[in-house]
Amino acid sequence: PVICFVRDDIVIPNIGPEKSAKFMPYLLSVFFFILINNVMGIIPFPPPFGANVTGNLAVTMSLALFTFFIIQFNGTKNYWRHIFATPGVPFWLLPVMVPVEMIGMISKPFALTVRLFANITAGHIIIMSLLSLIFIFESVLVSPVSILFVIFMNALELFVAFLQAYVFTLLSALFISLAVVDEHH
């Protein structure tokens, strides 16, 4: 059901039925990699096993760079024409538009990287802050309230784990679709 969800609700609506088969293995791999690692990061294993992989900036940047290179290598001539000679723009404005389009190319993987990293890291920081309240107040009386909030945040983290896998895959599919769109669209 999850594979069908990714295929039918993320990949095919964004990339299209004729080109979706080419990018489906990558997008499914990214979705399940992020989802499984986010869920594994919630489970409180003792160190060094309980690591949150997507809370590492290098991992999220690597995933975003994979998407970036897929976009660049599969970009159609229409995609490159929009970057280097934007249609409908006066000729004298092209020296301004090309750097703007290049910044747009770079900002896509940066947005993917920061979005995933920040959302996963923020939840873990909140949970650690709530647990540290017990030690800050140096009282056992604070612990029931703190633990209840931690349980609530863990449930929210589980939701965020699924949501971030969905959002990263959706944005990757959307960015890929912008590069492989045919000229008549």
Side-chain angles (χ1 to χ4, degrees):
V2 178
I3 293 171
C4 289
F5 168 73
V6 171
R7 183 191 67 202
D8 296 339
D9 292 339
I10 298 175
V11 179
I12 291 176
N14 286 303
I15 298 177
E18 62 279 348
K19 294 184 181 179
S20 63
K22 182 177 182 179
F23 302 105
M24 183 68 97
Y26 169 70
L27 293 170
L28 280 173
S29 298
V30 165
F31 180 83
F32 283 112
F33 179 81
I34 293 171
L35 179 63
I36 289 169
N37 283 311
N38 285 347
V39 171
M40 292 293 288
I42 294 171
I43 299 170
F45 289 125
F49 305 109
N52 183 13
V53 176
T54 52
N56 185 342
L57 196 56
V59 172
T60 58
M61 188 183 347
S62 297
L63 291 172
L65 285 175
F66 284 137
T67 300
F68 175 76
F69 288 125
I70 286 174
I71 290 168
Q72 303 317 313
F73 290 134
N74 291 294
T76 61
K77 68 178 182 177
N78 189 37
Y79 169 73
W80 291 106
R81 186 179 314 128
H82 276 275
I83 290 176
F84 292 111
T86 309
V89 174
F91 180 74
W92 58 271
L93 198 57
L94 286 179
V96 175
M97 288 303 295
V98 171
V100 168
E101 290 292 332
M102 297 297 260
I103 291 170
M105 282 174 43
I106 295 168
S107 67
K108 289 174 187 174
F110 180 75
L112 287 173
T113 299
V114 172
R115 179 178 283 114
L116 180 59
F117 169 74
N119 284 314
I120 299 305
T121 304
H124 284 66
I125 290 172
I126 291 171
I127 289 173
M128 292 307 295
S129 300
L130 289 170
L131 285 175
S132 67
L133 288 176
I134 298 169
F135 301 104
I136 290 172
F137 287 114
E138 297 177 356
S139 173
V140 179
L141 300 174
V142 179
S143 63
V145 175
S146 181
I147 297 298
L148 284 175
F149 280 122
V150 167
I151 291 170
F152 172 73
M153 281 305 299
N154 268 334
L156 194 61
E157 281 269 314
L158 187 61
F159 171 70
V160 169
F162 283 91
L163 183 66
Q164 289 306 312
Y166 171 76
V167 168
F168 193 96
T169 308
L170 177 71
L171 289 175
S172 293
L174 182 67
F175 295 155
I176 290 170
S177 73
L178 293 173
V180 299
V181 68
D182 292 328
E183 192 168 345
H184 65 277
H185 285 100

